Amino acid sequence: MKVLVLNSGSSSVKYQLIETSFEQIEADADRTIARGAVERIGTSSAVHTYRPEGCEKTSTVKEILEHSVAIAEIIQTLTRPGTGVIGDASEIEAVGHRVVHGGEKFTQSELCSPEVMREIEDCCELAPLHNPHNLRGIHAARQILPDVPHAAVFDTSYHQTMPPVAYLYGLPYVLYTRHAIRRYGFHGTSHRFVGWRSRKLLGRPREETRLITCHLGNGASMCAIDHGRSVDTSMGFTPLEGLLMGTRSGDLDPAVVFHVMHKEELTEYQATTMLNKHSGLFGVSGVSNDMLELEKAEAQGHERARLAIDIFCYRVRKYAGAYAAAMGGVDAIVFTGGIGENSPTVRARAMEGLEFMGVALDPARNEAAVKGREADISTTDAKVRTLVIPTNEELIIARDTLRLMKGKLQPVG
Amino acid sequence: MEFRKLGIVGGGTMGKSLAEKVASNGINVVLVEISPEKAEQARAELTASLDRELEKWGITASEKKVVLSRVRFVADMYADAHCRAELAGCDMVIETVQEDLEAKKKAMRRLGEVCPPDRVFITNTSILSITEIAAASGRPDRVLGMHFMRPVTRTPVVEVIRGVETSDETFETALALARALEKTPVTVFEYPGYITTRVLLPMLNEAMYVVMEGVASAKDVDLAMRLAYEFRTGPLEYADRVGLDKVMGWMEHLFRELGDIKYRPCPLLHKLVRAGHLGRKTGRGFFVYEDQQRVDAPAEEVAL
């Protein structure tokens, strides 16, 4: 069965067409047929990049003012004779949508019933920068493909298994009951996917595996997974908490915000933008938010680039230690995301000093693990395995969509 | 209603601030000035304003680029055919020329000639009669007032003022624009000063009387008001920022229109304006300014 997976942002729609079935899932043989993105929606020069699997990427520029037009354009491209990958839009049997925030309501993926749509709307308050755009994408896609089921897969739902000790802040409790102020965590689909792959790779049952997954990209978060369930994660009420990120500060004494606002005479908006877009690797280094560029700058002796990478790695190490303590031990630490999958330096530096826990990296294996291949990069006798697993959130979205359609949604993991 | 391109006539402080907000919200802008030199100056000043925002972490370097790329600076709508064509292609036009009835009527008249008859015009005024301005456009049902407050990028409210002839459809269009710019609209029926200006001015004026009567220094008046009522800026510094000539113009207008003694401009305000101390823009008003920043000069420096 072919599932169209859509990720709608404020001015973009990213997509993959995925072929999946229960047999293919069993054999781990479901695959992406084509992928692409429409960016700069709302302008006369929107860019549509499209790549059928095994072919060259093409990109076209044209006026696309709305998400619905973007999705119509995507379907046209997928069905275009010659370059398309399907004969007719009717071959798309379902659509899976990424939705950032599911609040406390959604503990798993759901079909988009009117009730579910209302509840996603209710979560807009928690994620004003994301959910409205996700919703707009769902509405537009349903207009264009009205006869197939649409499913919503949430970034937060995987972390709904966290216990109160992990998700509550030390704030007046009334804020939790009144405004749902608590830690939600994000990247759930990614943590869930690499957790599942890791257990397969290690050949261990879910009940006997404690994992620490590190999704390190421009946004970065870590997750403690016990019995296949998320028991803690580093992002909180918003994706701003936790690790140092490309342009986000991560953990911070909240008093700093008020102090800086006062000293620099900042508005609330400026302070928010500072924390989200001017901080992190970029803010510390003053060079870039891109790890590859930072590594180059560091090699040329750039002091603050080194400092930025050091802080980044230190925080990963600190959280790894914390999560091992939270679970009473750890069986494997897993790296994924753009940086996690491609930077041997970051992996090595982040794991430095964790030998006492049983972590030991094999330098050659670590160096060799790049470019989207799964690998065990630990020494043969390491007590704790260190893995690199390329993430695939779209695949999880496609699989959940299939399972929901056939009424066979399994518990997470 | 979707807005794709908005015309803004007048690249003064309000015009630029409005252009910055409109472009930041993803709408293209045609900013019309009276000469190519003025248009170039408006571009330079808008760039400088974005640089200040970048320095305060409010935007990123690439966002600055995107915002600038959305604004086209052109001149002038009387002589230049290209400029007229740009204006005619706008979904709506907002005029922000100086707060002077004749100047605004002249601009409206020209817009009426240049733009297709179905286009809505907005006049940005804090005090003048919408009905009078609208009449000049030849389409009074499609004109209404919107009083934006500076800096437009930050102030979350806009007064929407209906003239006598303004149609419901035009009013709805204005509300849609307010939503597109993330502003809370407040509906006002035409009356001198609307809400904000009418309530604010007597307070500024009264603060000046307190200084003139020697009850307290300008510094203490502002300090007390700021701390007592959580104002970001005290009333006297606020008047300095607006421009004392402008404040006086407003007061005189209210005094004339409403005839009530409570709108009589404070003599100290007269005195400062006559001396050319117009506030922040001239470096001196109730306070002293260097590079647009208030410096704490001794109180006696203020001409009393």
Side-chain angles (χ1 to χ4, degrees), chain A residues 109-136:
Chain A
S109 306
E110 294 285 353
L111 285 172
C112 296
S113 65
E115 197 194 340
V116 165
M117 292 296 279
R118 259 198 311 281
E119 277 157 0
I120 296 175
E121 223 153 285
D122 288 343
C123 296
C124 280
E125 206 174 55
L126 298 172
L129 300 180
H130 295 103
N131 272 33
H133 307 301
N134 302 154
L135 268 172
R136 208 191 306 172

Side-chain angles (χ1 to χ4, degrees), chain B residues 12-15 96-100 104 124-128 147-150 197 200-201 204 208 238-254 265 269 272-273 277-282:
Chain B
T13 321
M14 175 51 76
T96 68
V97 302
Q98 79 249 44
E99 195 83 304
D100 171 84
K104 290 208 182 277
N124 178 78
T125 169
S126 52
I127 207 150
L128 297 173
H147 177 210
F148 291 98
M149 278 142 263
R150 286 180 297 147
T197 313
L200 173 74
L201 282 178
L204 303 188
M208 296 171 195
Y238 190 86
D240 275 354
R241 287 188 188 185
V242 171
L244 297 185
D245 49 340
K246 206 165 166 184
V247 172
M248 190 154 96
W250 285 344
M251 287 300 292
E252 283 177 332
H253 182 86
L254 284 183
L269 176 61
L272 285 168
V273 172
H277 298 319
L278 306 182
R280 190 167 69 172
K281 62 185 167 188
T282 61

Side-chain angles (χ1 to χ4, degrees), chain B residues 82-140:
Chain B
H82 167 71
C83 174
R84 285 199 297 273
E86 285 277 5
L87 261 179
C90 291
D91 300 319
M92 187 191 236
V93 182
I94 308 174
E95 74 71 25
T96 68
V97 302
Q98 79 249 44
E99 195 83 304
D100 171 84
L101 189 60
E102 287 315 311
K104 290 208 182 277
K105 278 160 76 172
K106 185 180 168 204
M108 269 303 154
R109 204 170 300 126
R110 188 56 178 164
L111 285 174
E113 293 160 5
V114 169
C115 299
D118 63 333
R119 298 295 193 272
V120 167
F121 300 151
I122 305 281
T123 173
N124 178 78
T125 169
S126 52
I127 207 150
L128 297 173
S129 160
I130 305 303
T131 307
E132 266 190 279
I133 297 171
S137 70
R139 60 183 87 177

Side-chain angles (χ1 to χ4, degrees), chain A residues 290-301 305-306 309 339 342-347 349:
Chain A
D290 186 281
M291 187 56 84
L292 215 62
E293 281 183 40
L294 285 177
E295 287 178 11
K296 274 187 214 151
E298 182 189 30
Q300 288 160 8
R306 182 190 62 74
I309 302 174
I339 299 172
N342 294 304
S343 174
T345 321
V346 167
R347 291 190 299 248
R349 275 153 79 170

Side-chain angles (χ1 to χ4, degrees), chain A residues 204-217:
Chain A
R204 293 177 70 115
R206 163 201 315 249
E207 294 71 26
E208 289 164 27
T209 317
R210 291 158 304 180
L211 299 171
I212 296 171
T213 50
C214 316
H215 179 107
L216 311 180

Side-chain angles (χ1 to χ4, degrees), chain B residues 134-146:
Chain B
S137 70
R139 60 183 87 177
D141 59 317
R142 292 186 188 277
V143 179
L144 91 176
M146 284 181 95

Side-chain angles (χ1 to χ4, degrees), chain A residues 259-267 270, chain B residues 55-57:
Chain A
H259 186 77
V260 170
M261 280 177 77
H262 175 70
K263 284 282 178 196
E264 294 276 343
E265 293 186 33
L266 300 186
T267 61
Q270 288 167 332
Chain B
E55 209 171 288
K56 285 290 180 190
W57 307 287

Side-chain angles (χ1 to χ4, degrees), chain B residues 125-131 144-147 158-168 171 185-196 198 254 258:
Chain B
T125 169
S126 52
I127 207 150
L128 297 173
S129 160
I130 305 303
T131 307
L144 91 176
M146 284 181 95
H147 177 210
V158 61
E159 288 180 291
V160 181
I161 310 118
R162 298 184 71 148
V164 173
E165 308 272 348
T166 307
S167 71
D168 289 347
F171 181 65
V186 177
T187 313
V188 188
F189 291 98
E190 182 168 326
Y191 202 81
Y194 320 131
I195 303 171
T196 51
R198 180 166 162 192
L254 284 183
L258 299 166

